């Protein structure tokens, strides 16, 4: 006799079924929005609108982009989706203008330095990212011994930001590096303006995993009295622009030694590492700073997943977390996760100083 299971929920009403069907279509097809965005970026639509004075009709765009006029009605359908999803604005039928989001996709724009975010769209919608995401269910079924490869490594046999990716596909590797640079470099100006107290009174700072020193140079420009060290791998430090010598570059490995300073900053670093690695990194950071009484602290800039955030910010944080799951061995953390790794690394206290969009700024005290 077949086992009798109690129904898990009542059969939906007609109204609920109609709504559920529409929602299912949306959830299954919403990946066309980033595809339309990719198409717009590859055609150069945001840059064309900008060059046309900030507003462009469909026929202006078709002419500026040298598209066949027969494609005009199709372009109108892509633009309609982008307007509805908040990428572009349209205050008059068939006439489009930029929003702050699409302004970030204009070639050559500068906001506290180079600001174009085109590479993020191209990397996130690339064949390599999509194929990695398609491999997610197969990855879940495999029971492999740690260290667990990310689905990206599982599918492609290569790791993002490592030599293996450059060997697999140099063009994609370049786009991924550009995307990470665009992601990392945008926002330090806002942080310096909004979180002045974070740096005020600091005598010295080590920007741990500070890349080519873009962030450190911006800090020293705003706070010239801070003696700033930038620690990164030798291959990165070799290529860093030395400029005016305002920053001290140190080639090394954060798992071995971190240059001593009153504060150590980890900006967009820890989300790339597992909890175990983070505890190890944080313990090394603790050795590099003085006591809390002597002003010792860590400055962490990273996503703090916050279930009480507005719906769109939370969704962004969760999408960034699944992006880390699919492509790296890292993760995004909520406040409990952060507290747990701070405590395990021997820190006594922390304060979330500011939330800036999807990211948070945290001070951690020894
Ligand atoms: C996502 S980037 C950090 C971005 C930078 N903090 C910023 O906000 O612009 C990660 C950096 O960590 C560096 N890195 C990776 N492993 C490292 C290690 N073992 N020691 C030092 N730096 C490392 C990479 O070379 C890269 O520059």
């Amino acid at each position: 006799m077949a086992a009798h299971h109690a129904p898990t929920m009542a059969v939906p009403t007609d109204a609920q079924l109609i709504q559920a069907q529409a929602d299912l279509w949306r959830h299954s097809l919403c990946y066309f929005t980033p595809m339309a965005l990719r198409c717009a970026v590859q055609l150069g639509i945001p840059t064309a609108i900008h060059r046309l004075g900030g507003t462009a009709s469909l026929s202006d765009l078709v002419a500026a982009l040298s598209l066949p006029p027969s494609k005009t009605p199709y372009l109108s359908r892509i633009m309609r989706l982008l307007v509805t999803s908040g990428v572009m604005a349209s205050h008059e039928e068939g006439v489009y203008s930029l929003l702050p989001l699409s302004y970030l996709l204009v070639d050559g724009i500068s906001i506290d330095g180079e600001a174009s975010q085109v590479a993020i769209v191209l990397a996130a919608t690339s064949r390599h990212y999509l194929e990695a995401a398609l491999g997610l269910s197969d990855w879940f079924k495999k029971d492999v011994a740690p260290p667990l490869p990310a689905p990206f490594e599982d599918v492609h046999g290569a790791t993002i930001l490592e030599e293996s990716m450059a060997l697999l596909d140099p063009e994609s590797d370049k786009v991924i590096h550009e995307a990470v640079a665009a992601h990392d470099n945008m926002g330090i100006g806002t942080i310096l303006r909004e979180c002045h107290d974070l740096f005020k009174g600091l005598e010295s700072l080590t920007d741990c995993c500070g890349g080519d020193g873009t962030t450190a140079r911006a800090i020293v420009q705003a706070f010239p009295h801070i003696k700033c060290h930038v620690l990164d791998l030798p291959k990165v430090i070799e290529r860093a622009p030395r400029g005016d010598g305002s920053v001290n570059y140190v080639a090394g490995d954060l798992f071995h030694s971190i240059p001593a300073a009153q504060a150590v900053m980890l900006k967009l670093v820890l989300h790339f590492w597992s909890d175990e690695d983070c505890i190890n990194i944080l313990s090394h950071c603790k050795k590099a700073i003085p006591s809390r009484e002597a002003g010792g602290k860590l400055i962490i800039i990273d996503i703090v997943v916050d279930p009480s955030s507005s719906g769109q910010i939370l969704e962004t944080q969760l999408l960034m977390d699944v992006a880390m799951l699919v492509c790296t061995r890292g993760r995004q953390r909520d406040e409990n996760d952060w507290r747990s790794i701070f405590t395990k690394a021997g820190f006594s206290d922390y304060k979330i100083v500011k939330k800036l969009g999807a990211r948070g700024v945290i001070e951690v005290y020894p």
Side-chain angles (χ1 to χ4, degrees):
M1 202 174 79
H4 178 76
H5 294 290
T8 53
M9 67 176 285
V11 174
T13 63
D14 279 338
Q16 286 172 329
L17 282 174
I18 289 166
Q19 184 62 47
Q21 189 183 37
D23 289 344
L24 187 70
W25 290 342
R26 184 167 53 82
H27 282 295
S28 303
L29 295 172
C30 61
Y31 71 93
F32 281 121
T33 304
M35 290 300 130
L37 181 59
R38 179 180 176 89
C39 166
V41 163
Q42 288 180 319
L43 292 177
I45 290 175
T47 305
I49 296 178
H50 185 64
R51 291 192 184 146
L52 287 163
T55 305
S57 69
L58 215 47
S59 52
D60 291 338
L61 280 178
V62 167
L65 303 171
S66 306
L67 299 178
S70 61
K71 293 284 169 53
T72 306
Y74 302 95
L75 188 64
S76 131
R77 287 157 65 186
I78 295 292
M79 295 302 285
R80 182 171 62 180
L81 178 64
L82 292 176
V83 168
T84 304
S85 42
V87 174
M88 309 271 181
S90 175
H91 301 296
E92 186 186 327
E93 202 180 329
V95 180
Y96 306 98
S97 50
L98 299 176
L99 289 171
L101 188 164
S102 30
Y103 181 70
L104 294 178
L105 303 173
V106 171
D107 283 347
I109 47 146
S110 174
I111 308 166
D112 306 319
E114 201 180 308
S116 167
Q117 302 292 299
V118 160
I120 292 189
V121 175
L122 296 181
T125 59
S126 66
R127 176 175 77 74
H128 287 97
Y129 273 53
L130 297 182
E131 285 174 0
L134 289 171
L136 207 42
S137 58
D138 284 339
W139 177 86
F140 267 104
K141 288 180 214 155
K142 282 185 196 164
D143 191 8
V144 292
L148 202 58
F152 191 101
E153 297 170 67
D154 209 28
V155 168
H156 299 299
T159 305
I160 65 161
L161 303 176
E162 287 190 9
E163 190 62 21
S164 52
M165 189 61 207
L167 291 172
L168 177 74
D169 186 332
E171 206 35 52
S172 291
D173 178 61
K174 184 166 169 278
V175 173
I176 294 171
H177 272 96
E178 286 170 0
V180 172
H183 170 264
D184 292 345
N185 291 341
M186 193 180 149
I188 184 62
T190 311
I191 291 166
L192 288 167
R193 287 186 288 274
E194 296 276 327
C195 308
H196 201 261
D197 287 353
L198 210 55
F199 303 98
K200 206 174 66 185
L202 266 190
E203 285 159 19
S204 57
L205 174 79
T206 293
D207 187 5
C208 186
C209 295
D212 69 0
T214 302
T215 298
R217 286 192 300 277
I219 293 173
V220 172
Q221 205 175 2
F223 298 91
H225 64 278
I226 300 181
K227 185 167 169 33
C228 212
H229 311 285
V230 173
L231 172 74
D232 210 293
L233 296 171
K235 63 177 183 182
V236 176
I237 294 296
E238 272 163 27
R239 292 196 306 267
R242 288 300 189 270
D244 55 5
S246 60
V247 166
N248 175 35
Y249 290 90
V250 182
D253 182 338
L254 86 165
F255 288 104
H256 289 134
S257 161
I258 295 175
Q262 195 180 10
V264 169
M265 183 164 83
L266 291 157
K267 172 170 162 284
L268 307 173
V269 171
L270 295 177
H271 63 215
F272 203 75
W273 300 95
S274 68
D275 283 359
E276 199 185 16
D277 286 332
C278 283
I279 293 164
N280 198 353
I281 292 168
L282 290 168
S283 309
H284 283 288
C285 290
K286 189 160 176 275
K287 288 184 209 142
I289 56 173
S291 65
R292 182 173 187 174
E293 296 67 39
K297 64 179 179 183
L298 298 189
I299 299 171
I300 294 180
I301 298 168
D302 231 318
I303 284 180
V304 180
V305 175
D306 179 2
S308 69
S309 307
S310 80
Q312 279 189 350
I313 290 286
L314 179 61
E315 190 177 359
T316 302
Q317 294 173 333
L318 300 182
L319 289 170
M320 293 291 270
D321 179 53
V322 175
M324 297 311 285
L325 189 162
V326 169
C327 296
T328 74
R329 296 181 190 185
R331 58 175 303 199
Q332 308 295 351
R333 297 179 168 85
D334 63 21
E335 188 172 344
N336 288 335
D337 299 324
W338 284 114
R339 186 187 306 110
S340 164
I341 59 172
F342 297 155
T343 308
K344 286 181 181 150
F347 286 87
S348 66
D349 200 4
Y350 70 94
K351 183 166 120 192
I352 299 178
V353 177
K354 188 106 185 163
K355 292 196 175 159
L356 293 169
R359 290 176 184 161
V361 179
I362 317 174
E363 277 189 345
V364 193
Y365 311 108

